[in-house]
Amino acid sequence: MQQNKATILTTRPLAQTALIMAKEAGVEIETESFIETNSIVDQGIAEEIRKYASENISVAFTSMNAVEAVLDVLELDDISPEWMIYSMGGTTKQLIKNYFVESEIIAAATNSTELAQSIIDNNEAEVVFFCGNQRRDELPGLLKASGIVLNEVIVYETVEVPLEITMHYQGILFFSPSAVHSFFLSNKLPAETVLFAIGSTTAEALKKESNNRIIMSKFPNKEQLAELAVEYFSK
């Protein structure tokens, strides 16, 4: 029987295929979320989404949670908007490709700063930004500084759920600064634990909380981050 080479913790659920892939490589993955995301779309916000859906506009998504919250409204009314979309890559982009079939993805990026620069380079005059209550400042700040009109629609909230872990993990996967902050409210890590970040903003949040080794994924994709960790520990 194959002995586990490592046990790692993911702070966001992964696809079953990723868990099987890890197990076959001798790496055990356990899951524990340190944040909750909840749609806050009420009747007023839903009407705002429907209004924008009837317009040929440019919109921005930096989170899969925002995409899902907007889709809850559009799918209920069987609406397929014709938007020009600026998106983060990875899961967020894939969701958009799967469900916004009448829209066009103008640009995808690995972080908010890069996405904002794409919007600026395309000389957009106005953009609708669907986001959460803890969205980062890079994209709004850069767009406003460039004179672009930004209409923010907050469609979900992030709630921290601190939890003390008792098991020793060789690696931990992080997918957002919010999860990083929530994790370290109740936990300290041994120096040998390796931390894996889905992107630069999450990596920066980790640097503020820990001196442990941080490895960052080249692509903002959950399963690819898991593959990176499995490859690291299966060598």
Side-chain angles (χ1 to χ4, degrees), residues 134-167:
Q134 293 190 28
R135 64 102 176 106
R136 294 182 62 84
D137 295 331
E138 289 90 347
L139 186 140
L142 288 168
L143 297 191
K144 290 174 182 177
S146 297
I148 297 172
V149 177
L150 186 67
N151 303 306
E152 292 189 42
V153 183
I154 299 175
V155 294
Y156 75 94
E157 65 177 358
T158 301
V159 180
E160 294 182 355
V161 186
L163 176 70
E164 184 176 355
I165 60 172
T166 56
M167 184 171 174

Side-chain angles (χ1 to χ4, degrees), residues 4-221:
N4 282 350
K5 299 176 180 177
T7 301
I8 62 180
L9 176 69
T10 173
T11 58
R12 182 176 289 180
L14 298 170
Q16 187 66 24
T17 52
L19 303 182
I20 294 171
M21 172 272 299
K23 198 171 188 68
E24 290 176 346
V27 177
E28 192 74 25
I29 298 181
E30 297 186 358
T31 304
E32 196 67 67
S33 296
F34 292 84
I35 58 171
E36 292 180 355
T37 56
N38 307 303
S39 172
I40 56 170
V41 175
D42 56 16
Q43 185 174 349
I45 297 173
E47 285 301 321
E48 193 171 7
I49 293 171
R50 293 186 188 100
K51 178 182 75 72
Y52 284 128
S54 67
E55 301 172 0
N56 187 16
I57 58 172
S58 296
V59 306
F61 290 101
T62 56
S63 163
M64 60 175 285
N65 299 304
V67 176
E68 290 174 341
V70 171
L71 280 172
D72 284 344
V73 176
L74 300 181
E75 290 187 323
L76 185 64
D77 294 340
D78 196 23
I79 300 172
S80 185
E82 297 181 15
W83 286 339
M84 293 166 286
I85 299 178
Y86 294 86
S87 168
M88 293 292 281
T91 307
T92 303
K93 179 183 176 182
Q94 192 59 51
L95 270 175
I96 292 168
K97 287 179 67 176
N98 290 346
Y99 294 101
F100 288 84
V101 294
E102 302 296 332
S103 297
E104 179 182 358
I105 298 177
I106 303 300
T110 58
N111 58 63
S112 296
T113 300
E114 183 182 315
L115 190 63
Q117 193 58 54
S118 295
I119 295 171
I120 293 167
D121 290 345
N122 281 344
N123 297 312
E124 296 286 357
E126 185 172 356
V127 174
V128 176
F129 180 30
F130 294 106
C131 59
N133 66 326
Q134 293 190 28
R135 64 102 176 106
R136 294 182 62 84
D137 295 331
E138 289 90 347
L139 186 140
L142 288 168
L143 297 191
K144 290 174 182 177
S146 297
I148 297 172
V149 177
L150 186 67
N151 303 306
E152 292 189 42
V153 183
I154 299 175
V155 294
Y156 75 94
E157 65 177 358
T158 301
V159 180
E160 294 182 355
V161 186
L163 176 70
E164 184 176 355
I165 60 172
T166 56
M167 184 171 174
H168 172 66
Y169 295 99
Q170 283 72 42
I172 304 179
L173 313 183
F174 289 95
F175 303 89
S176 71
S178 299
V180 171
H181 184 261
S182 180
F183 177 89
F184 283 98
L185 284 175
S186 301
N187 297 286
K188 292 183 179 180
L189 293 174
E192 64 270 19
T193 301
V194 182
L195 309 179
F196 295 84
I198 199 167
S200 58
T201 54
T202 301
E204 286 301 318
L206 284 169
K207 289 176 184 177
K208 294 177 182 178
E209 300 283 359
S210 173
N211 292 320
N212 288 41
R213 183 177 185 186
I214 299 168
I215 298 176
M216 189 178 76
S217 175
K218 294 181 180 180
F219 304 99
N221 179 280

